[in-house]
Amino acid sequence: MEHARLYRQLSLAMLNSEDIIELWTSSNPHLMEVAAAEMVRGFDVHSDLFFRFIDVQSYALRDMAASQWPFLRKSFLPVEDVPRDTPYDYFDDVRQQYDLFVCRLQQYVGNNDDKAQHVLATLYTIFEGIRQDITRLYPDMVMPTVEPTGCRQLMVFVTGFCNLRCPYCFSKEIDRKHIDVDKLDEIIDWSRRNNITSITPCGGEPLLYNHILYLIDRMREEGMTTYFATNFTIDISRFDTIDSDVVTTIYVHLTRSALHNQYLRQVMEKNIAVAKTKRIEVIARANLCLSEGDFYREWVPFLVANGFKHINLALTIPTQGGENDYIPIDRFRHFVPMVEYLVEELDKVGITYDLAKPVPLCFFSHSTARRLLAHTQGAMRCNISEDDYMKNVCISPSLVLTPCLGVSSPQIPFSLNLQWDDVVRTMRSKVVSMLSTPTFDHCTRCYLWQRRLCQGVCLSYKDKLRDASTIKKHLCE
């Protein structure tokens, strides 16, 4: 936290250009972070320095810019022309930041012909959100070819069994069975042939899957990696082959039934320590649920006590059966106090956070909305749109493919003859249709929606309320 204290001290006064240059060229990463923050914070004064120092390798500056300027981030759908000089009722300050950025970019390019190609190519390469803007503004400039950076992943619901019964869990609708080892081999072989590099075991509780170690070993053989979410109440000391060469991240669910049970809590804490010794990244995962009252107030002390650096917050997913306990779409505002409390407490202890599923930021206070914009891209959009709308595709224990764990249709029976492109064509039309539907009547007056940066809500809610007019009716009441 040394650099954080240093930044707080330096940020008390506006730094001049000479100070920023000295900090940036110091080669000290903490001082470079301070310089990057000042270039972004004082962009209206230091825009020339920003464009001078931005580079593919200048991670501090690019990360700071992407966190503070949402328009630099990838949109969930191609961005159509956004009306210029049109004030928006929501997040108009982001539009103003965009206008200032474009204006200063044009000035810099006009005044530095010899550097124009380099700075435009750099911005085009590292900030996907403005590629169309750069192409429109400079149609004669030759932009570099940018290779896709994502990786194909497949979420496999290997088991429908779980040792807990959390009231909000969607797995109640998953078949209570394991995928047998022969079918698992077929899935892995199919994944390899279709250039899938990551298989995520889901459940139920994936650590209860009777072939979990076999799956890990097969992925190791194929050079694949994985991450998975677990309640972590199953002792992993016997899972000696679960190592960071295959398992990069484990998301640990914070459940009331586990944290309020002394034995299960001890198992969780032991598992967390074991995972850390294996150099596996451990991230907390917590589901916001109205019926669990103020249980969310117990999360931050648990995170601090167990050395967590990051927590993944999510709304629970509505189910087609409607029997599970989840936050209905017309009661979203009820969880706003939960999020605002957590944001305050997490910032106090220096734990970073992310919202795993899109949440309408227009519900929050100005302060919280801007903090969420800066700290979490998941607050606005789901990565389901990545990899040609195939990022979250799932296989159920019944061997049926669906767009994600919360969207139950279309359904495609799995077979070895199935082609990735065939799945893409089927999934894309459904996903794009839901993404294209504004969630609220006021979405058209929101700059984030116009830039296709905020999709409003998790698509599982739109999937539950299939008809677009029904969605608007529920949300606008």
Side-chain angles (χ1 to χ4, degrees):
M1 298 295 291
E2 177 185 353
H3 65 288
R5 288 195 296 271
L6 179 61
Y7 173 65
R8 283 196 294 270
Q9 293 171 0
L10 291 172
S11 63
L12 294 176
M14 178 69 75
L15 302 178
N16 60 38
S17 298
E18 290 75 19
D19 295 331
I20 293 173
I21 293 171
E22 184 176 355
L23 292 174
W24 185 258
T25 56
S26 68
S27 298
N28 181 311
H30 301 323
L31 297 180
M32 292 177 72
E33 286 183 16
V34 174
E38 190 63 25
M39 280 186 271
V40 173
R41 183 180 68 168
F43 182 77
D44 57 333
V45 176
H46 302 303
S47 59
D48 278 8
L49 290 181
F50 176 88
F51 294 124
R52 171 181 166 186
F53 290 129
I54 191 68
D55 193 80
V56 173
Q57 301 299 322
S58 56
Y59 298 108
L61 189 52
R62 60 190 289 185
D63 291 348
M64 180 62 65
S67 71
Q68 298 301 315
W69 298 328
F71 54 83
L72 298 179
R73 307 171 193 168
K74 180 180 179 179
S75 57
F76 59 81
L77 285 174
V79 181
E80 301 174 358
D81 288 338
V82 179
R84 298 295 304 275
D85 303 322
T86 300
Y88 291 91
D89 295 336
Y90 300 89
F91 300 99
D92 192 56
D93 54 338
V94 180
R95 177 195 64 83
Q96 294 174 27
Q97 292 172 339
Y98 167 81
D99 288 344
L100 176 63
F101 184 90
V102 170
C103 177
R104 293 302 172 82
L105 172 61
Q106 290 176 300
Q107 289 176 1
Y108 183 85
V109 169
N111 295 332
N112 298 272
D113 290 340
D114 57 326
K115 299 176 183 177
Q117 180 65 49
H118 173 74
V119 70
L120 290 173
T122 297
L123 294 171
Y124 185 91
T125 300
I126 63 180
F127 297 126
E128 189 169 352
I130 58 170
R131 286 178 187 165
Q132 283 185 283
D133 302 278
I134 292 174
T135 301
R136 174 176 54 81
L137 291 170
Y138 301 98
D140 297 329
M141 286 281 188
V142 178
M143 292 297 108
T145 300
V146 181
E147 297 295 332
T149 57
C151 64
R152 288 183 177 179
Q153 71 172 17
L154 185 67
M155 306 179 75
V156 182
F157 283 78
V158 292
T159 181
F161 293 100
C162 185
N163 59 322
L164 301 181
R165 292 292 181 270
C166 300
Y168 49 76
C169 186
F170 60 87
S171 67
K172 182 176 181 179
E173 298 181 353
I174 297 174
D175 293 336
R176 291 291 186 269
K177 61 182 180 180
H178 299 295
I179 291 180
D180 65 50
V181 72
D182 291 337
K183 290 298 182 183
L184 183 62
D185 277 330
E186 289 184 7
I187 291 171
I188 295 171
D189 291 341
W190 181 81
S191 299
R192 184 188 66 248
R193 291 202 299 270
N194 286 279
N195 300 317
I196 293 170
T197 58
S198 179
I199 295 177
T200 302
C202 305
E205 170 50 56
L207 291 179
L208 287 178
Y209 180 45
N210 51 13
H211 303 300
I212 186 65
L213 292 185
Y214 179 77
L215 173 60
I216 298 294
D217 290 342
R218 281 298 314 273
M219 283 193 286
R220 181 179 286 107
E221 292 172 4
E222 301 295 345
M224 296 179 177
T225 60
T226 188
Y227 67 88
F228 61 87
T230 168
N231 60 46
F232 235 22
T233 60
I234 311 299
D235 188 349
I236 67 167
S237 59
R238 61 189 175 89
F239 298 143
D240 56 339
T241 60
I242 295 183
D243 277 307
S244 58
D245 61 333
V246 177
V247 182
T248 61
T249 307
I250 293 177
Y251 291 86
V252 181
H253 278 280
L254 306 184
T255 65
R256 177 190 287 272
S257 52
L259 265 60
H260 286 188
N261 180 297
Q262 184 176 359
Y263 171 74
L264 294 180
R265 184 173 179 135
Q266 288 175 347
V267 173
M268 285 181 66
E269 292 176 336
K270 177 185 175 182
N271 285 341
I272 291 165
V274 170
K276 289 181 178 179
T277 63
K278 292 173 175 281
R279 299 184 182 279
I280 297 172
E281 181 184 30
V282 181
I283 294 176
R285 175 68 180 265
N287 287 294
L288 300 168
C289 187
L290 290 176
S291 69
E292 296 208 319
D294 61 357
F295 173 54
Y296 63 93
R297 294 177 180 269
E298 301 178 30
W299 295 343
V300 176
F302 180 83
L303 299 180
V304 172
N306 288 277
F308 280 91
K309 304 297 183 185
H310 188 82
I311 183 171
N312 198 245
L313 302 171
L315 295 181
T316 51
I317 293 175
T319 60
Q320 294 301 315
E323 298 177 6
N324 294 346
D325 186 3
Y326 66 92
I327 298 171
I329 200 166
D330 57 349
R331 297 179 67 194
F332 269 24
R333 287 181 173 82
H334 290 263
F335 72 81
V336 169
M338 297 184 190
V339 176
E340 297 204 329
Y341 169 84
L342 289 167
V343 165
E344 284 288 337
E345 295 303 308
L346 291 166
D347 279 344
K348 287 179 185 177
V349 296
I351 295 176
T352 57
Y353 44 87
D354 185 28
L355 293 178
K357 298 181 181 66
V359 175
L361 296 187
C362 50
F363 283 5
F364 294 93
S365 66
H366 178 92
S367 173
T368 300
R370 269 57 185 180
R371 287 157 88 175
L372 290 172
L373 270 177
H375 290 289
T376 170
Q377 294 187 39
M380 304 184 297
R381 58 181 291 272
C382 173
N383 63 8
I384 192 172
S385 61
E386 297 176 14
D387 203 4
D388 206 0
Y389 306 98
M390 288 282 285
K391 185 67 172 181
N392 293 338
V393 69
C394 299
I395 295 183
S396 72
S398 300
L399 301 180
V400 173
L401 281 76
T402 55
C404 78
L405 55 86
V407 179
S408 58
S409 66
Q411 297 186 355
I412 304 175
F414 171 77
S415 81
L416 285 173
N417 296 324
L418 193 63
Q419 296 298 313
W420 181 269
D421 290 342
D422 295 334
V423 180
V424 166
R425 278 191 289 272
T426 303
M427 299 299 181
R428 184 198 292 130
S429 60
K430 172 65 179 292
V431 172
V432 170
S433 173
M434 289 193 294
L435 286 173
S436 302
T437 304
T439 311
F440 303 96
D441 282 336
H442 67 248
C443 285
T444 55
R445 307 195 307 277
C446 174
Y447 184 73
L448 297 182
W449 166 258
Q450 289 287 2
R451 289 285 299 188
R452 298 302 185 259
L453 291 168
C454 177
Q455 66 188 60
V457 294
C458 173
L459 294 191
S460 57
Y461 286 90
K462 292 186 179 183
D463 190 45
K464 184 176 175 63
L465 301 171
R466 300 296 177 85
D467 182 71
S469 62
T470 304
I471 294 173
K472 290 187 177 183
K473 177 179 182 295
H474 276 261
L475 285 170
C476 298
E477 287 177 346

